[in-house]
Amino acid sequence: MVCAAASLVLSMPALAGDPDATKWNAVLEDARGETVYFNAWGGAQNINAYLEWAGTEIEKRYGVKLVHVKLDDTANAVAKVVAEKAAGKNSGGTVDLIWINGENFAAMKAQGLLFVPGWAEDLPNRKFVDVEDKPTIKSDFTVPVDGLESPWGMAKLVFFHDSANTDVAELPKSASELLTWAQKHPGRFSYPQPPDFIGSSFLKQLLIETISDRALLQKPVDEAMFSEVTAPLFAYLDVLNPLMWRRGKAFPQNYPAMKQLLADNEVDIIFAFNPSEASSAIAAGELPDTVRSFTFPGGTLSNTHFVAIPYNAAAKAGALVLADFLISPEAQGRKQDPAIWGDPTVLNVAALSVADRARFETIDLGVATLKPDELGPTLDEPHASWMERIETEWKRRYGAAN
Amino acid sequence: MLPRLGPPLAILLLAGPIIAGLLGTLLPAFGYLPALGGNDFTTSHFQKLANEPGIGTSAALAIIAGLVTTAISLAVVMLFVAGWAGTRIFARIQQLISPLLAVPHAAAAFGLAFLIAPSGMLSRLVSPELSGWQRPPDLLIVHDAMGLSMIAGLVVKEIPFLLLVTLAALPQVDLARTRLLTASLGYGRVSGFVFGVWPPVYAQIRLAVFAAIAFATSVVDVAAILGPTAPATLAVRLTRWMQDPDLSMRFFASAGALLQLGVTVSALLAWVGMERVGSAICMAMSGRGHRFRHDRTLRNLALAAMLLAALTVASGLVTLGIWSCAGLWQFPDMLPQQFSARAWQNTAPRIGAPLATTFLVAALSTLIAVFLAVLCLIREGETGRSNGRSALLFIYLPLIVPQVAFLFGLQLMFVLSGTVASMPALVLAHLIFVMPYVFLSLSDPWRAYDRRYEAVAAGLGKRRWTTLFRVRLPMLLRAVLTAAAVGFAVSVGQYLPTLLIGAGRLDTITTEAVALASGGNRRVIGVYAFLQLILPILGFAVATLLPALIFRNRRALRA
């Protein structure tokens, strides 16, 4: 039924009067004077400051005003669009652009809550995007993007430790080595409690490393096989749980909480979905400058985060202009600088002009950030349905009535 | 004939949106929400809820937190007032405790967490010299499975609330003379108060106690910061379901919202049972002639508990303050290695607009709430209590119905009328939560007002309105201003209604604070906790200073 709804949505013609990204001059003309309400997570001041800069720039260049609607959870923006649809408010909605991740995208696409047809591939700056080497740009958690969202940044799972307290030679190089490490150092590792995004990502990493046939993960969960193929994962977690911080009876709630645990010397190894998080934290005085990064040589999870336009957005032309600006070499280069944000680019840097390439090559990535060639291989996201089942099973085993 | 409009207006403005909102919860709970493909009625969502792992634990935690928190807070307040009312120490403590009411729950909870965590301030004070800890001990203190930290966090915030309503009720009972009487009969200070004064005081503050229970069973922010996480309390889990990207979860979350309603009602019923038991015990003890003459230890314990509550919040806030200007600050350092103004500098340019919105919404909703409350109370006085009370039952709905249970439906209504994200809509949404607190704070002192003063005024030939403005309102000015300050603080602390009805376009300090708190950065949390404090503290300062200023020549009205 979901598929039917999705194909119905995709075949729907654009509403009359909607901007067409292939006619960019008309889009620019429409956009002038519009206010774009960009619904994006507001929990980090460096990101908020970056968006303020973007707002100043697009107002100066295109006469588009940017208002950052600061969310504590992206799903709140989805909820607003749902409520508007329920109320029959099919135009003039309150959300113009959403910073979105795979699960929310899959839900909005299936519910027909996105601006169609696919516009992202028609943006002028799209030509700089690295579609070849970054497959997650065309498929978000295995759901085809179909141009319904525009890439904004790349993520990769990277581990951090404090070299002043932790023996570097002992650091784990795989999930199974992590378990051995935890046995030697009980109480010194934890992960954010699923369904927190980072915590769930860690479970995905374990799933990929413990499952016997990785090809299964590219398809939706087959319920009949679920317990069999995930048996190694839960055997692993059963051993790990009592070895963790607070014996697995409590978990940090998100990445920043985990970062605070490292700073408080409560744990020894943490991880993030952005290779330069540690450098940013050192620069902000939140972590000591002895913190360093490492990854698993066998590969770690990676994905792309996006921006999307709701079907009933009031300022679609303005949203298009903003989405395009966000993938300009200038905006992407600024975003990759750990002193400003430190979010890896979605662009193909090698293909940029000399001047634009220089923006990226001169960035000081910081002491704790691995070079792009040190990050190791990337592992693809499993289909979104896997996460849902694993989270449910996790909650039953470790998240209830300990 | 303005007062006649009071009750219907209150019902229209308050109960209307709540009932609409509840319908917007009730229908999806039973499977009906056509916008999301729910066209048939079903109980399957409740079945799914019953199978949810740990759901019983979550619900039990909420009920226990509600009852234990309220029992402890109320006992401390009662024993403290019993042992110390009328003394100089009492006046001092009163001044110390009242501002604590203005501390937002989230800020107090964060402060407590920073104090008692194994790597927190208390542990740093003794480490490594006394404890030998180079690393913090691996102890489950914050987020403990029994919810003790959460209960502690709620107790330190309920104590000032219950003390304040008790103080507002106290002038209406003849404390000094009852005390003389019980003392002459040989009762100790505490037992004389508990047997002689407490019953009429409790009758006045009973609804406030109910509000405290309902709040503690359904609180989200304190439970998320201090409460158990595996599993969390029902309200915390419910809020997550409401925000689940899987939209079909809305049905399930709505069923959960109804369960939360049941949990809150169960806690209230259990409390009513406890009231009976408590009063039976009191009756039995006084009937047997126990006078409890020697209660010095009990009195000192009550004082210590009161001071501990105040000190806990205050030192938590100081710790937050240090965090707001900390550079790197690792365990076991007692103070940061560097200090940095970065968090404040980053925040300064961004606070003007949210601060203005916060103030405007709080001021408007409080003004309307006070006006409506006074109208309703005048009307109640005219028509007799029972009549007024049944209508005013609606006013208490928002205190007893958990916010999460009706806000999604309420938001739908504002979207339908095209008024979402407008200032009037936001003020109305805040009014729903401000009004009950204003009414609760004001109604009991108002009802207990000695009407013989008015009879005297009438006897002197004064008209009704003159009596109201020249006699009753001045005598109740403290109560009115206190009620307004409470309402103002409640408005400042509103998160979910502001986020949903303001559609994120009307930012307040609290929406900013919670959004930033989700990033878990203690420095930023420290800054925003202080910004959140500024406005309510101003409100309470006005409520305290204004009567003292106006009545500087009337001693009996000053205190």
Side-chain angles (χ1 to χ4, degrees):
Chain A
M1 199 202 93
V2 167
C3 292
S7 59
L8 180 76
V9 164
L10 288 178
S11 61
M12 246 163 50
L15 294 170
D18 269 349
D20 179 355
T22 56
K23 304 188 174 84
W24 195 248
N25 282 331
V27 171
L28 287 177
E29 208 167 294
D30 276 2
R32 191 160 288 278
E34 280 188 339
T35 298
V36 177
Y37 289 92
F38 185 17
N39 284 238
W41 183 65
Q45 280 192 324
N46 56 343
I47 299 176
N48 298 350
Y50 177 81
L51 284 178
E52 275 167 34
W53 167 80
T56 329
E57 291 302 310
I58 63 163
E59 174 137 40
K60 204 161 66 191
R61 295 178 198 189
Y62 310 107
V64 175
K65 195 166 172 321
L66 166 64
V67 177
H68 177 191
V69 178
K70 300 186 187 77
L71 305 176
D72 68 331
D73 189 321
T74 304
N76 286 338
V78 182
K80 273 189 266 182
V81 181
V82 174
E84 287 172 1
K85 190 181 185 197
K89 196 174 174 65
N90 292 323
S91 60
T94 58
V95 181
D96 295 312
L97 195 67
I98 306 181
W99 181 12
I100 200 163
N101 57 12
E103 280 179 296
N104 285 304
F105 172 69
M108 288 191 84
K109 188 179 174 189
Q111 295 277 343
L113 296 174
L114 292 169
F115 173 35
V116 288
W119 46 270
E121 290 173 19
D122 300 325
L123 298 177
N125 283 325
R126 175 75 178 195
K127 58 181 177 286
F128 302 122
V129 172
D130 188 3
V131 190
E132 294 296 311
D133 291 330
K134 300 185 172 77
T136 53
I137 285 175
K138 296 202 83 158
S139 127
D140 194 1
F141 285 31
T142 75
V143 176
V145 168
D146 294 330
L148 295 173
E149 53 178 358
S150 176
W152 193 18
M154 296 297 293
K156 190 168 196 307
L157 192 67
V158 174
F159 295 87
F160 307 127
H161 66 101
D162 185 347
S163 59
N165 295 330
T166 315
D167 184 358
V168 179
E170 273 190 331
L171 291 175
K173 293 188 175 65
S174 67
S176 66
E177 284 191 32
L178 178 65
L179 194 57
T180 320
W181 184 91
Q183 276 158 340
K184 279 180 78 177
H185 306 275
R188 304 297 296 173
F189 176 77
S190 193
Y191 55 89
Q193 179 167 352
D196 171 77
F197 179 64
I198 305 291
S200 297
S201 299
F202 177 70
L203 293 186
K204 287 184 213 167
Q205 174 77 29
L206 297 182
L207 174 67
I208 297 170
E209 285 197 52
T210 52
I211 201 165
S212 54
D213 179 10
R214 288 187 189 178
L216 289 173
L217 300 175
Q218 294 309 305
K219 291 175 288 193
V221 176
D222 176 358
E223 197 55 44
M225 289 173 64
F226 179 78
S227 53
E228 188 195 322
V229 299
T230 57
L233 169 70
F234 288 106
Y236 181 103
L237 289 173
D238 283 343
V239 180
L240 180 64
N241 204 49
L243 296 170
M244 288 200 304
W245 178 78
R246 309 287 188 250
R247 292 180 182 76
K249 289 184 188 302
F251 295 81
Q253 294 303 298
N254 50 32
Y255 166 73
M258 206 163 49
K259 179 169 64 176
Q260 190 62 55
L261 290 183
L262 183 65
D264 287 342
N265 200 4
E266 292 213 14
V267 299
D268 286 330
I269 293 178
I270 65 165
F271 51 89
F273 224 174
N274 175 350
S276 58
E277 285 282 2
S279 292
S280 304
I282 292 170
E286 293 167 3
L287 286 178
D289 59 8
T290 43
V291 168
R292 294 293 180 272
S293 312
F294 66 98
T295 60
F296 292 166
T300 52
L301 203 65
S302 90
N303 71 19
T304 305
H305 52 96
F306 294 84
V307 294
I309 303 175
Y311 82 107
N312 65 348
K316 289 194 180 106
L320 287 172
V321 170
L322 176 57
D324 185 57
F325 176 74
L326 292 177
I327 51 171
S328 66
E330 185 185 357
Q332 286 277 312
R334 196 178 162 88
K335 185 158 67 66
Q336 186 155 352
D337 187 345
I340 293 167
W341 177 351
D343 194 44
T345 183
V346 297
L347 303 187
N348 179 2
V349 174
L352 295 178
S353 71
V354 179
D356 282 336
R357 216 160 51 220
R359 289 180 197 280
F360 289 90
E361 283 161 357
T362 54
I363 295 172
D364 176 8
L365 291 176
V367 282
T369 311
L370 299 169
K371 305 261 175 321
D373 57 344
E374 297 168 328
L375 279 173
T378 63
L379 302 176
D380 290 340
E381 288 276 354
H383 185 272
S385 60
W386 281 92
M387 212 51 253
E388 207 172 296
R389 275 300 278 120
I390 296 227
E391 280 170 3
T392 311
E393 190 58 20
W394 186 93
K395 185 165 60 179
R396 197 177 65 74
R397 287 167 180 256
Y398 315 107
N402 255 309
Chain B
M1 289 309 92
L2 206 51
R4 187 166 292 176
L5 288 175
L9 207 59
I11 291 169
L12 186 76
L13 286 176
L14 310 182
I18 290 163
I19 290 164
L22 271 178
L23 265 179
T25 304
L26 196 67
L27 295 178
F30 287 98
Y32 188 80
L33 182 58
L36 291 181
N39 295 312
D40 303 303
F41 287 93
T42 164
T43 54
S44 65
H45 303 293
F46 289 98
Q47 284 159 16
K48 207 176 137 207
L49 190 67
N51 292 326
E52 176 73 11
I55 194 75
T57 315
S58 295
L61 274 169
I63 293 185
I64 291 168
L67 295 178
V68 175
T69 299
T70 313
I72 296 177
S73 319
L74 193 65
V76 170
V77 168
M78 179 183 81
L79 293 176
F80 172 68
V81 177
W84 300 90
T87 65
R88 190 172 291 186
I89 288 185
F90 187 81
R92 285 277 158 75
I93 302 274
Q94 189 184 331
Q95 285 167 349
L96 198 70
I97 295 274
S98 299
L100 294 186
L101 196 61
V103 180
H105 282 85
F110 273 120
L112 184 64
F114 294 171
L115 280 184
I116 62 174
S119 58
M121 203 61 195
L122 291 177
S123 166
R124 287 171 199 238
L125 285 172
V126 296
S127 297
E129 291 80 7
L130 292 175
S131 65
W133 293 331
Q134 294 293 338
R135 288 172 166 181
D138 190 8
L139 297 174
L140 185 61
I141 297 177
V142 176
H143 302 310
D144 64 292
M146 309 255 299
L148 299 179
S149 305
M150 170 177 71
I151 288 173
L154 287 167
V155 164
V156 297
K157 278 296 293 165
E158 293 301 354
I159 283 179
F161 173 63
L162 292 176
L163 181 65
L164 196 83
V165 288
T166 306
L167 289 175
L170 220 45
Q172 314 301 336
V173 295
D174 201 337
L175 180 66
R177 285 204 293 183
T178 313
R179 190 165 260 167
L180 274 179
L181 181 70
T182 54
S184 68
L185 290 172
Y187 285 90
R189 215 178 159 80
V190 172
S191 60
F193 180 90
V194 172
F195 294 149
V197 185
W198 185 246
V201 170
Y202 182 74
Q204 284 191 58
I205 66 167
R206 194 163 177 242
L207 283 166
V209 173
F210 284 4
I213 297 168
F215 181 81
T217 54
S218 64
V219 62
V220 175
D221 48 5
V222 178
I225 296 161
L226 292 168
T229 54
T233 64
L234 182 59
V236 173
R237 295 178 75 178
L238 183 54
T239 311
R240 296 209 186 108
W241 298 335
M242 284 283 181
Q243 296 175 344
D244 197 290
D246 177 2
L247 299 170
S248 63
M249 281 293 282
R250 291 230 171 264
F251 296 103
F252 181 64
S254 299
L258 287 194
L259 175 63
Q260 175 69 61
L261 196 62
V263 161
T264 302
V265 170
S266 310
L268 289 172
L269 290 177
W271 182 265
V272 172
M274 284 162 66
E275 281 177 348
R276 299 253 162 93
V277 174
S279 92
I281 291 174
C282 274
M283 292 288 273
M285 285 201 300
S286 64
R288 285 200 195 137
H290 290 307
R291 292 185 164 81
F292 304 99
R293 288 193 60 85
H294 304 289
D295 54 12
R296 178 184 285 273
T297 318
L298 191 61
R299 270 158 55 196
N300 287 336
L301 269 177
L303 178 66
M306 209 58 164
L307 279 174
L308 185 66
L311 276 178
T312 304
V313 178
S315 43
L317 289 176
V318 170
T319 313
L320 271 175
I322 303 176
W323 268 109
S324 76
C325 41
L328 188 62
W329 190 7
Q330 285 186 283
F331 187 86
D333 299 340
M334 219 155 70
L335 286 173
Q337 280 153 28
Q338 310 107 33
F339 284 91
S340 151
R342 184 204 293 255
W344 287 95
Q345 281 166 353
N346 286 345
T347 310
R350 308 201 171 92
I351 55 170
L355 212 53
T357 311
T358 314
F359 177 79
L360 201 61
V361 173
L364 288 175
S365 56
T366 304
L367 267 178
I368 299 171
V370 170
F371 180 70
L372 273 179
V374 169
L375 283 191
C376 289
L377 288 166
I378 293 175
R379 180 69 187 154
E380 189 185 284
E382 287 172 358
T383 57
R385 268 184 196 194
S386 56
N387 189 2
R389 281 217 169 174
S390 62
L392 291 167
L393 184 69
F394 290 102
I395 289 181
Y396 297 105
L397 270 180
L399 287 193
I400 295 168
V401 184
Q403 285 194 3
V404 278
F406 65 88
L407 273 174
F408 179 69
L410 184 63
Q411 185 202 24
L412 251 170
M413 200 189 74
F414 281 116
V415 172
L416 273 169
S417 63
T419 51
V420 75
S422 70
M423 200 58 161
L426 192 58
V427 170
L428 180 58
H430 276 221
L431 182 64
I432 296 166
F433 300 99
V434 170
M435 174 80 189
Y437 279 95
V438 169
F439 196 84
L440 259 181
S441 308
L442 187 58
S443 60
D444 290 319
W446 186 283
R447 284 174 188 149
Y449 177 77
D450 191 339
R451 300 186 74 169
R452 283 177 302 182
Y453 289 112
E454 288 176 328
V456 171
L460 293 172
K462 298 294 175 196
R463 286 167 187 280
R464 214 160 55 113
W465 288 106
T466 318
T467 313
L468 177 70
F469 283 106
R470 299 294 300 274
V471 180
R472 191 190 265 249
L473 279 178
M475 289 183 80
L476 288 171
L477 182 68
R478 267 187 83 81
V480 171
L481 286 177
T482 304
V486 171
F488 194 85
V490 167
S491 168
V492 171
Q494 292 302 316
Y495 171 63
L496 267 184
T498 316
L499 185 78
L500 290 175
I501 310 303
R505 294 184 180 189
L506 295 166
D507 275 329
T508 64
I509 286 296
T510 301
T511 57
E512 297 265 302
V514 178
L516 285 163
S518 71
N521 185 330
R522 286 186 191 163
R523 294 155 185 85
V524 179
I525 291 169
V527 171
Y528 273 86
F530 268 80
L531 290 175
Q532 262 193 300
L533 279 175
I534 289 173
L535 290 177
I537 281 184
L538 277 177
F540 278 96
V542 169
T544 316
L545 296 178
L546 208 58
L549 198 68
I550 295 176
F551 300 131
R552 60 187 176 283
N553 297 324
R554 298 182 190 182
R555 201 165 71 172
L557 281 172
R558 244 186 296 166

